[in-house]
Amino acid sequence: MFFQQGYPTVLKEVFRFGTAHAWLSATVPRRVHKRMDLGLNGKVAMVAAASSGLGLATAEELANEGCRLSICGRDSGRLERAVDRLRSKGAEVLARATDVTDCADAAAWVAETAEHFRCIDILVTNCGGVAAGPPSAMTPKDFDDAFERVLLPSINLVTAALPYLRRSPAGRILMLASEAIVRTPVHFALSGVARAGLVPYCHTLVQELSGENITVNVLAPGAHRTAIHEANRLGDHAGAIRALEDRTPARRLGDPSEFAAVAAFLASARAAYVSGALIVIDGGLSATV
């Protein structure tokens, strides 16, 4: 239409439109997207196995929300690097080299945390993995060891921290498991069987703690882009990683920050009515719904 009116007219219309757009931009308030306040500022959060992987990602997200942190790990060097990373975000961090499979060592970490911060509000249990292989390749001793490595650490930590969590106005217990407890590939027999015990443990805790303002939930992560998976992507298991991505409806591995965001929400005041849940975070691979 403008070009039918002649070139000078076009310039006038363009100028008029530009002036109107500038006026609207200056006078109409823009929508500002604010970060959701999870009410975690100042809370004391214990995160086990937080020197790397999903544990570290969870600690970082809680630090972003203003939590004071107590973290543990077995490798002192990696633990120190994690502390530096968290403190660079302005977080107050207590760290202790701890073997959470050792009941006494786990209890000592909890006691040190309570003495340092004078309270505990959030407990995130986490631990290492177990050997892979089909059930027929595993001995009864292998299964016994798996229970000690991936089930008992959560029980050790919850038992030690529960007296302090009961004093919190809003206690939170998050237990990290694995998607293997809902979708168990043949080579994840040990992990699936041993970690599955966290579900009835969670359910019984919820019933026992009824009315005490403590929520208990189990998180079951699928494959995420942690250092281990990235090493596998570049190594001998590259084909298996690509096949896993192809089978996943999301067509990729998860980012650790995505898992951590779910954990932080469940640790928050916003999730006060979420308890006794098993939450799978695997890009739709298990498709339980």
Side-chain angles (χ1 to χ4, degrees), residues 25-104:
S25 297
T27 57
V28 176
R30 294 183 178 182
R31 180 177 295 176
V32 178
H33 296 281
K34 296 182 179 180
R35 186 186 183 97
M36 180 189 292
D37 182 8
L38 296 181
L40 288 170
N41 190 50
K43 298 289 186 180
V44 174
M46 297 184 66
V47 186
S51 60
S52 62
L54 297 181
L56 178 56
T58 300
E60 285 189 288
E61 187 67 18
L62 292 172
N64 291 337
E65 294 294 337
C67 284
R68 295 176 287 165
L69 297 170
S70 177
I71 66 172
C72 79
R74 289 178 297 179
D75 187 313
S76 297
R78 287 197 302 182
L79 194 60
E80 289 179 8
R81 290 190 291 273
V83 169
D84 291 340
R85 185 165 163 173
L86 293 166
R87 285 178 177 164
S88 71
K89 297 178 178 292
E92 181 182 352
V93 186
L94 173 70
R96 184 181 188 277
T98 304
D99 179 0
V100 292
T101 67
D102 184 310
C103 184

Side-chain angles (χ1 to χ4, degrees), residues 247-250 281-288:
R247 291 197 308 273
T248 303
I281 308 165
D282 68 351
L285 184 60
S286 58
T288 56

